[in-house]
Amino acid sequence: MLTIGDVLRTSTEHLAGKGFEQPRLDAERLLAQALGMERVELYMHLDRPLGDAELGTARRLLARRAGGEPLQYVLGEWGFRRLTLHVDRRALIPRPETEVVVERCLALIGASDAPRVLDVGTGTGAIALAIADEHPGARVTAVDVSEDALALARENVERTGLPVELRHHDLFDGLPGEGWDLVVSNPPYVREEELPSLPSGVVEWEPGVALVGRGHTEGVVREAANVLRPDGALVLEVHEGAAAAVASLLEAEGFVEVRTTADLAGRDRVVEGRWSRP
């Protein structure tokens, strides 16, 4: 009968043969998920045999990952700041660089007890939920054009119990409401010509409507100016090669205190500014 150690070894070898960058880590995560364990527990029970049902679950998860499905989708959940969120193909996978977006948002609204926050293109709800979690009292509304993404975000609102209002809304119809203290967005910003160079797990599995930018960043900047209160803030995640251009766009639209922040890899990724009403 196969043991945890046996399955870890053969799963790692299988994924390594498929060219995965971190085959051992992936194998650990998959087997831990199949057995309902933490990764460290696997190493405390390497000689434990797997039952038929456990082995079948482990094999199914491994087959999905070996077929190119992103690990986060296979696991069905992923960590973002202090939260563990439900993730699947209905929305983009929350990424580490987006945590920097949340950090900048929290810094900008820190002096307000009950800031009104609008998250545009919420996807899983990661940004909105992280702000609601880390700034109690924030009144957070999140919008998305995708009904599927909103359904996923709704599952995460229920999972976390955090007070985030969800609305179906298209950015290109303008932004809802007025008098927001903060507008934040991680809009689609991948360039069409970059698609062939992206990892297959991104192009084949993550929703294209949330990937490719077609004026979304410019639209958020333009529309945010119509709904922010004076001195309200705008925070955007942007293409690593577009930060300077987006910063210039904010200044041209009337934003002040415009600044750029690098992501964890040192790439200019977050642009922010405060609205100075003419």
Side-chain angles (χ1 to χ4, degrees):
M1 185 172 286
L2 292 174
T3 66
I4 285 177
D6 294 330
V7 175
L8 267 181
R9 176 178 52 79
T10 57
S11 297
T12 300
E13 292 171 353
H14 184 59
L15 293 173
K18 294 283 186 178
F20 286 93
E21 292 182 359
Q22 297 179 303
R24 182 69 175 191
L25 180 58
D26 283 10
E28 291 171 354
R29 288 185 178 276
L30 293 168
L31 186 54
Q33 177 81 356
L35 300 181
M37 291 182 172
E38 299 294 328
R39 283 169 50 212
V40 68
E41 293 181 273
L42 299 176
Y43 291 94
M44 299 167 61
H45 304 281
L46 288 174
D47 294 327
R48 178 170 90 72
L50 270 68
D52 290 342
E54 292 175 327
L55 189 57
T57 300
R59 284 173 170 163
R60 285 191 294 274
L61 295 179
L62 179 64
R64 288 173 62 187
R65 181 64 180 130
E69 186 173 352
L71 177 66
Q72 296 90 334
Y73 288 168
V74 178
L75 298 177
E77 63 182 25
W78 200 246
F80 184 80
R81 292 186 69 86
R82 305 191 311 195
L83 305 173
T84 299
L85 301 176
H86 202 39
V87 295
D88 60 32
R89 296 188 69 174
R90 290 174 287 178
L92 295 183
I93 297 162
R95 288 173 165 81
E97 52 264 36
T98 306
E99 298 200 15
V100 180
V101 173
V102 175
E103 288 177 8
R104 293 308 310 149
C105 290
L106 294 170
L108 289 164
I109 61 175
S112 176
D113 290 335
R116 298 182 64 239
V117 178
L118 177 65
D119 175 22
V120 182
T122 196
T124 60
I127 292 173
L129 289 163
I131 292 172
D133 177 50
E134 297 182 49
H135 190 111
R139 295 167 291 169
V140 185
T141 298
V143 301
D144 206 293
V145 70
S146 167
E147 292 280 15
D148 285 341
L150 281 175
L152 178 59
R154 192 166 293 110
E155 292 171 18
N156 282 322
V157 168
E158 293 172 359
R159 176 175 186 154
T160 61
L162 291 165
V164 171
E165 178 189 5
L166 298 172
R167 299 184 193 175
H168 179 255
H169 191 84
D170 188 342
L171 159 67
F172 295 111
D173 291 333
L175 292 179
E178 60 183 7
W180 299 102
D181 296 287
L182 171 71
V183 172
V184 56
S185 184
N186 176 15
Y189 57 70
V190 173
R191 295 163 180 164
E192 195 91 45
E193 63 270 20
E194 292 177 317
L195 289 176
S197 66
L198 293 179
S200 60
V202 173
V203 177
E204 296 174 12
W205 290 91
E206 299 195 61
V209 68
L211 276 175
V212 180
R214 296 184 173 88
H216 294 82
T217 298
E218 296 82 356
V220 174
V221 174
R222 182 178 59 251
E223 296 301 335
N226 294 325
V227 298
L228 281 167
R229 67 163 178 79
D231 204 39
L234 171 65
V235 179
L236 292 164
E237 182 173 325
V238 302
H239 188 284
E240 62 186 80
V246 175
S248 295
L249 176 62
L250 263 67
E251 291 171 342
E253 287 289 334
F255 287 85
V256 297
E257 299 177 31
V258 175
R259 61 172 282 182
T260 300
T261 302
D263 63 18
L264 301 176
R267 298 167 296 198
D268 287 341
R269 183 68 73 182
V270 182
V271 178
E272 67 186 66
R274 287 198 179 273
W275 175 236
S276 177
R277 194 174 299 277

Short mmCIF file of all heavy atoms in Angstrom, two decimals, residues 95-122:
data_model
loop_
_atom_site.label_atom_id
_atom_site.label_comp_id
_atom_site.label_asym_id
_atom_site.label_seq_id
_atom_site.Cartn_x
_atom_site.Cartn_y
_atom_site.Cartn_z
N ARG A 95 -2.79 37.99 -6.65
CA ARG A 95 -1.33 37.88 -6.74
C ARG A 95 -0.64 38.77 -5.71
O ARG A 95 -1.21 39.76 -5.24
CB ARG A 95 -0.88 38.23 -8.14
CG ARG A 95 -1.24 37.14 -9.16
CD ARG A 95 -0.94 37.55 -10.59
NE ARG A 95 -0.96 36.42 -11.49
CZ ARG A 95 -2.07 35.88 -12.01
NH1 ARG A 95 -3.25 36.36 -11.69
NH2 ARG A 95 -1.98 34.84 -12.82
N PRO A 96 0.62 38.44 -5.39
CA PRO A 96 1.34 39.20 -4.35
C PRO A 96 1.45 40.69 -4.64
O PRO A 96 1.38 41.50 -3.72
CB PRO A 96 2.72 38.54 -4.32
CG PRO A 96 2.49 37.15 -4.81
CD PRO A 96 1.40 37.27 -5.84
N GLU A 97 1.62 41.06 -5.94
CA GLU A 97 1.77 42.48 -6.24
C GLU A 97 0.52 43.28 -5.87
O GLU A 97 0.61 44.48 -5.56
CB GLU A 97 2.12 42.70 -7.71
CG GLU A 97 1.21 42.02 -8.70
CD GLU A 97 1.75 40.69 -9.17
OE1 GLU A 97 2.38 39.98 -8.36
OE2 GLU A 97 1.54 40.35 -10.36
N THR A 98 -0.63 42.64 -5.87
CA THR A 98 -1.86 43.34 -5.52
C THR A 98 -1.93 43.63 -4.03
O THR A 98 -2.67 44.54 -3.60
CB THR A 98 -3.08 42.53 -6.01
OG1 THR A 98 -2.93 42.26 -7.41
CG2 THR A 98 -4.38 43.28 -5.80
N GLU A 99 -1.17 42.89 -3.23
CA GLU A 99 -1.13 43.20 -1.80
C GLU A 99 -0.53 44.59 -1.57
O GLU A 99 -0.88 45.27 -0.60
CB GLU A 99 -0.34 42.13 -1.06
CG GLU A 99 -0.99 40.75 -1.17
CD GLU A 99 -0.54 39.79 -0.10
OE1 GLU A 99 0.06 40.25 0.90
OE2 GLU A 99 -0.81 38.58 -0.24
N VAL A 100 0.37 45.02 -2.46
CA VAL A 100 0.94 46.37 -2.35
C VAL A 100 -0.14 47.42 -2.60
O VAL A 100 -0.13 48.49 -1.98
CB VAL A 100 2.11 46.54 -3.33
CG1 VAL A 100 2.71 47.93 -3.24
CG2 VAL A 100 3.18 45.48 -3.07
N VAL A 101 -1.07 47.13 -3.50
CA VAL A 101 -2.20 48.02 -3.74
C VAL A 101 -2.98 48.24 -2.44
O VAL A 101 -3.31 49.37 -2.07
CB VAL A 101 -3.13 47.44 -4.83
CG1 VAL A 101 -4.40 48.28 -4.95
CG2 VAL A 101 -2.41 47.35 -6.17
N VAL A 102 -3.24 47.15 -1.75
CA VAL A 102 -3.98 47.25 -0.48
C VAL A 102 -3.19 48.07 0.54
O VAL A 102 -3.76 48.90 1.25
CB VAL A 102 -4.30 45.85 0.07
CG1 VAL A 102 -4.96 45.95 1.45
CG2 VAL A 102 -5.21 45.09 -0.89
N GLU A 103 -1.89 47.87 0.61
CA GLU A 103 -1.06 48.64 1.54
C GLU A 103 -1.19 50.14 1.29
O GLU A 103 -1.32 50.93 2.23
CB GLU A 103 0.40 48.22 1.42
CG GLU A 103 0.70 46.85 1.98
CD GLU A 103 2.15 46.45 1.78
OE1 GLU A 103 2.95 47.30 1.33
OE2 GLU A 103 2.48 45.28 2.06
N ARG A 104 -1.16 50.53 0.02
CA ARG A 104 -1.27 51.95 -0.30
C ARG A 104 -2.67 52.47 0.03
O ARG A 104 -2.83 53.60 0.51
CB ARG A 104 -0.95 52.20 -1.78
CG ARG A 104 0.51 51.94 -2.14
CD ARG A 104 1.47 52.69 -1.22
NE ARG A 104 1.11 54.10 -1.10
CZ ARG A 104 1.34 54.83 0.00
NH1 ARG A 104 1.88 54.29 1.07
NH2 ARG A 104 1.00 56.12 0.01
N CYS A 105 -3.69 51.68 -0.22
CA CYS A 105 -5.05 52.10 0.13
C CYS A 105 -5.17 52.34 1.63
O CYS A 105 -5.73 53.36 2.06
CB CYS A 105 -6.05 51.03 -0.31
SG CYS A 105 -6.27 50.88 -2.08
N LEU A 106 -4.68 51.41 2.41
CA LEU A 106 -4.78 51.53 3.86
C LEU A 106 -4.04 52.77 4.37
O LEU A 106 -4.50 53.45 5.29
CB LEU A 106 -4.24 50.27 4.53
CG LEU A 106 -5.06 48.99 4.29
CD1 LEU A 106 -4.30 47.78 4.80
CD2 LEU A 106 -6.43 49.08 4.92
N ALA A 107 -2.89 53.06 3.75
CA ALA A 107 -2.14 54.25 4.14
C ALA A 107 -2.92 55.52 3.84
O ALA A 107 -2.90 56.48 4.63
CB ALA A 107 -0.79 54.26 3.43
N LEU A 108 -3.62 55.54 2.74
CA LEU A 108 -4.32 56.75 2.30
C LEU A 108 -5.61 57.01 3.08
O LEU A 108 -6.04 58.15 3.21
CB LEU A 108 -4.61 56.66 0.80
CG LEU A 108 -3.39 56.81 -0.10
CD1 LEU A 108 -3.70 56.32 -1.51
CD2 LEU A 108 -2.90 58.25 -0.13
N ILE A 109 -6.25 55.96 3.58
CA ILE A 109 -7.51 56.14 4.30
C ILE A 109 -7.33 55.97 5.81
O ILE A 109 -8.30 56.00 6.57
CB ILE A 109 -8.60 55.16 3.81
CG1 ILE A 109 -8.17 53.71 4.03
CG2 ILE A 109 -8.92 55.43 2.35
CD1 ILE A 109 -9.24 52.68 3.69
N GLY A 110 -6.09 55.83 6.25
CA GLY A 110 -5.84 55.51 7.65
C GLY A 110 -6.36 56.52 8.64
O GLY A 110 -6.71 56.18 9.77
N ALA A 111 -6.43 57.78 8.23
CA ALA A 111 -6.86 58.83 9.16
C ALA A 111 -8.38 58.94 9.27
O ALA A 111 -8.89 59.69 10.11
CB ALA A 111 -6.28 60.17 8.73
N SER A 112 -9.10 58.21 8.44
CA SER A 112 -10.57 58.29 8.43
C SER A 112 -11.18 57.10 9.15
O SER A 112 -10.78 55.95 8.92
CB SER A 112 -11.07 58.34 6.99
OG SER A 112 -12.49 58.33 6.95
N ASP A 113 -12.14 57.36 10.01
CA ASP A 113 -12.78 56.28 10.77
C ASP A 113 -13.70 55.43 9.89
O ASP A 113 -13.80 54.22 10.09
CB ASP A 113 -13.58 56.85 11.93
CG ASP A 113 -12.70 57.42 13.02
OD1 ASP A 113 -11.53 56.99 13.13
OD2 ASP A 113 -13.17 58.31 13.75
N ALA A 114 -14.40 56.06 8.97
CA ALA A 114 -15.39 55.35 8.16
C ALA A 114 -15.31 55.79 6.70
O ALA A 114 -16.26 56.36 6.15
CB ALA A 114 -16.79 55.58 8.71
N PRO A 115 -14.18 55.55 6.04
CA PRO A 115 -14.04 55.98 4.64
C PRO A 115 -14.96 55.19 3.71
O PRO A 115 -15.23 54.01 3.93
CB PRO A 115 -12.57 55.69 4.33
CG PRO A 115 -12.24 54.55 5.24
CD PRO A 115 -12.99 54.81 6.50
N ARG A 116 -15.44 55.88 2.67
CA ARG A 116 -16.24 55.22 1.63
C ARG A 116 -15.29 54.81 0.51
O ARG A 116 -14.59 55.64 -0.07
CB ARG A 116 -17.32 56.15 1.11
CG ARG A 116 -18.33 56.57 2.17
CD ARG A 116 -19.42 57.45 1.57
NE ARG A 116 -20.22 56.75 0.58
CZ ARG A 116 -20.36 57.11 -0.69
NH1 ARG A 116 -19.72 58.18 -1.15
NH2 ARG A 116 -21.12 56.42 -1.52
N VAL A 117 -15.27 53.51 0.23
CA VAL A 117 -14.30 52.94 -0.70
C VAL A 117 -15.04 52.24 -1.83
O VAL A 117 -15.98 51.47 -1.61
CB VAL A 117 -13.39 51.92 0.02
CG1 VAL A 117 -12.42 51.27 -0.96
CG2 VAL A 117 -12.64 52.59 1.17
N LEU A 118 -14.57 52.48 -3.08
CA LEU A 118 -15.13 51.82 -4.26
C LEU A 118 -14.02 51.02 -4.93
O LEU A 118 -13.00 51.58 -5.35
CB LEU A 118 -15.69 52.85 -5.24
CG LEU A 118 -16.25 52.28 -6.55
CD1 LEU A 118 -17.48 51.40 -6.28
CD2 LEU A 118 -16.61 53.42 -7.53
N ASP A 119 -14.23 49.70 -5.05
CA ASP A 119 -13.29 48.81 -5.74
C ASP A 119 -13.88 48.48 -7.10
O ASP A 119 -14.96 47.89 -7.20
CB ASP A 119 -13.10 47.54 -4.91
CG ASP A 119 -12.22 46.50 -5.59
OD1 ASP A 119 -11.43 46.88 -6.48
OD2 ASP A 119 -12.34 45.31 -5.24
N VAL A 120 -13.15 48.85 -8.15
CA VAL A 120 -13.64 48.71 -9.53
C VAL A 120 -13.00 47.50 -10.19
O VAL A 120 -11.78 47.43 -10.34
CB VAL A 120 -13.33 49.98 -10.35
CG1 VAL A 120 -13.90 49.85 -11.76
CG2 VAL A 120 -13.89 51.21 -9.66
N GLY A 121 -13.83 46.52 -10.59
CA GLY A 121 -13.32 45.28 -11.17
C GLY A 121 -12.84 44.34 -10.08
O GLY A 121 -11.69 43.91 -10.06
N THR A 122 -13.73 43.98 -9.18
CA THR A 122 -13.32 43.33 -7.94
C THR A 122 -12.86 41.90 -8.09
O THR A 122 -12.10 41.39 -7.27
CB THR A 122 -14.46 43.42 -6.89
OG1 THR A 122 -13.93 43.13 -5.60
CG2 THR A 122 -15.61 42.48 -7.23
#
